[in-house]
Amino acid sequence: RSFRALAFSALAAGIFVSFSFFFRAVLNFHMGNSQFASIISSMGYTVGFLIVILGRMQLFTENPITTMVPLFSEFSWQKLLKVIRLWSIVFIFNIIGTAIAALFFASPHAVSPEIANALHELAKNIMRLPAVDNLIRGIPAGIIIAALVWIAPQSKTFRFKTIFFFIYFIALGDFAHVVVGSCEMAYELIVGDANFAEYLFRFLIPTGLGNIIGGTGIFTILIYNQVRKELSEHKK
């Protein structure tokens, strides 16, 4: 795909996946101190992913299977450069999209003070963890997203339910997703409760690495070796 097509698709994905942050915070607010708050509010986390995945937009953590299996099966430097190009464009514009969304959520004209407080309460949880914890919590999220991409073509008529439950358990397990979390961190940065170094070194880089390790370093490599023989026979 052209740079323009990838950039706009990734930008849209970054903006729309940020609704996962927003609606989780909204449900948290409405649930108050209920013992079921986490169970219910985690459903809100699925909203952005449903929009992005069903809308076939480019989300960084969806790329390990679709790009790496073809690269592993018939490696070439030209293919590797194409993968790097794709990952770079998608990641950069996903992050720009989350920054735009965070800027909107931080506007006093966009949300009520009550919702703004709920957004802050949710986003500040990401600030309490050191970089190594974000890296480790990013690994299961990367595995689950890659598994979702692998299973999605077979899900067909129940694809909505498949996406919902996979993403729901990322939220319920309190795992770290680099793109949604980027919106949370950008929100804290904009309202003045975080600095750029914390955004970059405590969250973005370690969580992104965790997602890559889980999605590419674990799931994709294991799956590739599972189907390696079939791929070789198909090429013949």
Side-chain angles (χ1 to χ4, degrees), residues 157-232:
T157 56
F158 53 93
R159 197 175 182 201
F160 179 96
K161 295 177 183 177
T162 303
I163 298 168
F164 180 90
F165 280 105
F166 272 63
I167 303 304
Y168 177 68
F169 285 108
I170 289 178
L172 208 57
D174 201 24
F175 298 134
H177 187 273
V178 67
V179 184
V180 178
S182 172
C183 185
E184 297 180 48
M185 282 296 295
Y187 180 85
E188 290 295 276
L189 186 62
I190 291 165
V191 299
D193 290 316
N195 59 57
F196 188 73
E198 290 174 318
Y199 169 79
L200 192 62
F201 298 111
R202 178 179 286 188
F203 178 78
L204 193 69
I205 293 175
T207 306
L209 286 174
N211 289 168
I212 291 170
I213 291 168
T216 302
I218 297 176
F219 188 87
T220 303
I221 289 176
L222 291 174
I223 287 297
Y224 170 70
N225 282 285
Q226 173 187 314
V227 300
R228 185 175 183 176
K229 184 178 179 181
E230 288 87 345
L231 289 172
S232 299

Side-chain angles (χ1 to χ4, degrees), residues 17 19-25 27-28 37-49 122 125 128 137 140-142 144-145 163-177 180-181 184:
V17 83
F19 281 116
S20 288
F21 165 46
F22 181 78
F23 283 110
R24 190 178 187 183
L27 289 178
N28 257 333
S38 179
I39 294 172
I40 301 299
S41 66
S42 292
M43 294 182 186
Y45 193 78
T46 67
V47 174
F49 286 92
L122 181 59
N125 287 330
R128 63 185 169 83
R137 293 195 313 135
I144 292 170
I145 294 291
I163 298 168
F164 180 90
F165 280 105
F166 272 63
I167 303 304
Y168 177 68
F169 285 108
I170 289 178
L172 208 57
D174 201 24
F175 298 134
H177 187 273
V180 178
E184 297 180 48

Side-chain angles (χ1 to χ4, degrees), residues 82-116:
K82 286 182 178 180
V83 169
I84 293 171
R85 169 186 175 271
L86 173 65
W87 279 26
S88 300
I89 294 170
V90 171
F91 183 74
I92 290 168
F93 280 92
N94 277 174
I95 299 307
I96 293 172
T98 61
I100 293 171
L103 194 62
F104 178 81
F105 296 150
S107 168
H109 304 291
V111 298
S112 67
E114 293 80 12
I115 298 299

Side-chain angles (χ1 to χ4, degrees), residues 132-151:
V132 67
D133 287 13
N134 281 323
L135 187 150
I136 292 170
R137 293 195 313 135
I139 294 173
I143 292 172
I144 292 170
I145 294 291
L148 173 58
V149 173
W150 182 255
I151 292 168

